[in-house]
Amino acid sequence: MRDTSSSHHIPLKTNTTTAPSERLQARVVDKYLGAVLADDNVAVTRGFTLALGALPARLLRPSVDAILAALDEMARPDRCVGLGIVHGWADGRA
Amino acid sequence: MKTVFTYTQPPNPPSTQNNNSRVGDEPDAETRRNALLALVELSQTLGVSVSPNDGDTGHGLTRAQLQRALATLLRATGDYATDKRGDVGSWCRQAALKGLAALLALLPPAAPAPAPKDGQTAPPSSPSSLLRVGGAVRAAGYGRGTLVDLRCEGRVACVRFAPGQPGAFFFPYQHGTGLFPAAAVVPCGDDAPGSPASPPVIGSETEPAAEAEPLVDGALFARVVAAALQQLCEKLDVVRECAGAVLLDLLTLPSPPLPPLPDRPLLEAALLPPSPSPSPAERTSLYKAGNPAVIFPRVVQLLGSSGCYHRAVVAGMLISIGGLSESVVKAALGAMVEWAQAQRRGEAGVARVGRTVLEVLDAHAGEDRVVLPALRTVDLFVQKGVWLEADLFAGPTGEPGPEGGGSLAAGLLARVKRELQGCKDVKKLLACLSVAVHLLEPLPLSSSPSPQSVDDGDGDGGAMRLLMVLLGHRFPRVRKACAEQLYTRLLLHGDQLLAHATVPEAQDEVLECLAATCWDTGDLAGVREARDRVCRLMGIAPPAAASAGAAAGAGVLSGSGRGSKPKKEDELASYAALVKEMGY
C-alpha cells in the first residue's frame, strides 16, 4: 500500500474561487477604476491606484484586463491626472 | 423608542470639494509610480499561468497580460519627467526596474514537478492552468480520471477516478474522488478516462514533452537587462544602486524559465561579484550607494558587447559624463578614457562608440535633457583623448551616415547644426560651440580656395562657417566665448587650419583681429564687421552673404540678411546698450 498521506492529501477547504457578486464588483473594482482614471485629485488617484494592486485575487480575476489597462494608462510618462476636467484646477486656485 | 439611522450619500464626493489639492490635468509622478507598484503587486497576487499558451484559464496572468505588464514597466524605465522637486521620474524608473525583476521572478519554473514515489521521471511540465474542470486528467501513479473541481485558487485538483483505475482503489469514498496538488495532475489528450486501449499501470505513465514557446523570449529579456544597464550608468546614485541590485537579481534568476540571454558570460563577468556564490552582504555592498568608482569601470567592459547593451551603456554614460556632479563625471570619464586606451589596438570599438553617440543624438534630437550632456561629453571625449583626430576625421565610419556625412566629425557637425536651429539657451550654445571648435579640420591644399567651394556644409568649411556665425551671434557671451576658443585653437593649429587662406600672413592677422576686438560689446554691427574681416582673412564667405543662399541654418542663427530681422536686432542691440550703460 502506498503512503498517500504525505504529499497528495490536502484537507478540504472552502471554495474561494467563485467570482464575486456583481454588487461587490461594482462597489470595489469599478469604483476604484473610476476614481483612478477620472478623479483630478492626486491624493485620490495615488491611493486608489495602490488599492487596485492590493485587491485579493478573487476580485482581480474577473477584471484583470480592465485593471491592467487602467494601470497601463496611469503609468504612461505623459499621463495627466483627471483628464476629464481640464480647467478645474485653475478655478480652485482663484 | 427606535432610532432610525439613515445614510445619505453626500452630494459630491469629497475630492471635488477640496479645491486646494486639485491639480487636475497635471502629470503626477506619485500616481505613475503607484500604478507601477500596483501592477507588480497585482501580478504577484495572481501569479503567472504555467501554461505558455494564450488560453485563459481564469488563473494567473496569461501570456498576453504578462507581456502587457512587462511592456508597461519597460516604457516606464524611460520616464524622465521633472518638476520643481527635481527628477521625479526617477521614482518611476526605480519602481519599474524593481517591478521588472519581480515579474520575471514570477515565471513558473519549467522544471518538472517532483516525481511521485515510484521514482519515475515526472512529466516535463505541470501545466495546472491547462486543467479544465470536467476534462480528463492523469495523476501519475493513480491512473486517469475526471477533474471535478479546482480548489484553493487552482492549487488543488479534485479528481474522480473511474472504477478500475488505481486511483479508485486509493480513494474509495466519494465515488473514487481524491485531492491532489494541481502540479501533480496533468491533462490527457483524449477525453475517455480509463480507455481500455491504455491499461493503467502504476508508475508507468509517460508524457509527451510539450515544447511550447517560452513566456518571455530572449529579445525581451535582453531589453529588460539593457534598460537596467542604462539606469546603472546614469547620474543619480540612488537609481544606480537600484539598477545594480536589479541586475544582480536578473542575472541570478534561474535560467530554465528565463530564456538564454545574449552575451550572458560577458554580463556576468562584468557585473557579478567575483566570488561564485556571493553572500547577501557582498551583494548589497557591491553597488552600495551607487558608488561611481565601482560601477563605471565595470560597466565600460560592456561597451564591447552586442547591440542593445552597447547602446544602453553609451546612452547612460553620455548622461553621466556630461552631468554636473563631480564624482560621477570623474569616475565615468576616467573609466571611459581607460577603456578607450585599452581599445587603441583595434579602432573598431572607439568608432562604434562614435556611431552610437550619433544614434543617441538622433533619437533624442531637441531634447535638452540628453543633448546638452551629450555635447559636453563629446567635448570631454576629444579633450581627454577618447577620440583622437584620426577617429574624428577618419573616412566613412563603416555605415552610411544618416545625413550624408562620412566621418564622425561630419555627423557630429550635422547634429550640432540641427540643435542650434532656433536655440536661445546660452548653455546649449556654448556646448555646441565647444564641440564645433573640435570639429575644425585642416582642408587639404588641393581643394579649391574659393569660398563657394566650402558651401556644402560638411567638413572644415561647415565647422568654420558655423563658428563664424556664432562669432556674430546676438548673445555677447556666445560671441566672446567663440572668439576665445577660436583664438586658442588657431594659436595651436593655425598653420594647418589656415593653410588654404588667401592671405599669406592670415594666421597672425586673424589672431590679432580676434584678440583686439571687444566681442562682448553691445555694438552688434561693429562686431559683425570685425567678424566679416576675420572671414575674409580666412578665405570664407561671411555668413551674411551665405545666408542669402541655401544655408538656412546659418541665416537663422546670424539673424542677418533677412528682411524681418533688423527691427528685432535693433531692439536687442539697444537693450544690450541700455544694460551696459546702466552697469549691470
Side-chain angles (χ1 to χ4, degrees), chain B residues 226-240:
Chain B
L229 271 178
Q230 181 171 350
Q231 298 305 319
L232 186 66
C233 304
E234 289 204 353
K235 58 183 173 184
L236 291 184
D237 288 352
V238 65
V239 176
R240 280 200 307 276

Side-chain angles (χ1 to χ4, degrees), chain A residues 28-53 66-75 79-84, chain B residues 31-32 34-35 38:
Chain A
V28 179
V29 180
D30 298 349
K31 178 184 164 193
Y32 289 12
L33 281 177
V36 162
L37 285 171
D39 206 297
D40 63 342
N41 183 343
V42 285
V44 172
T45 57
R46 289 172 191 170
F48 277 107
T49 310
L50 270 187
L52 269 183
I67 296 174
L68 279 182
L71 291 180
D72 180 68
E73 175 64 36
M74 294 313 291
R79 165 79 192 189
C80 297
V81 294
L83 280 184
Chain B
T31 300
R32 295 199 300 274
N34 286 2

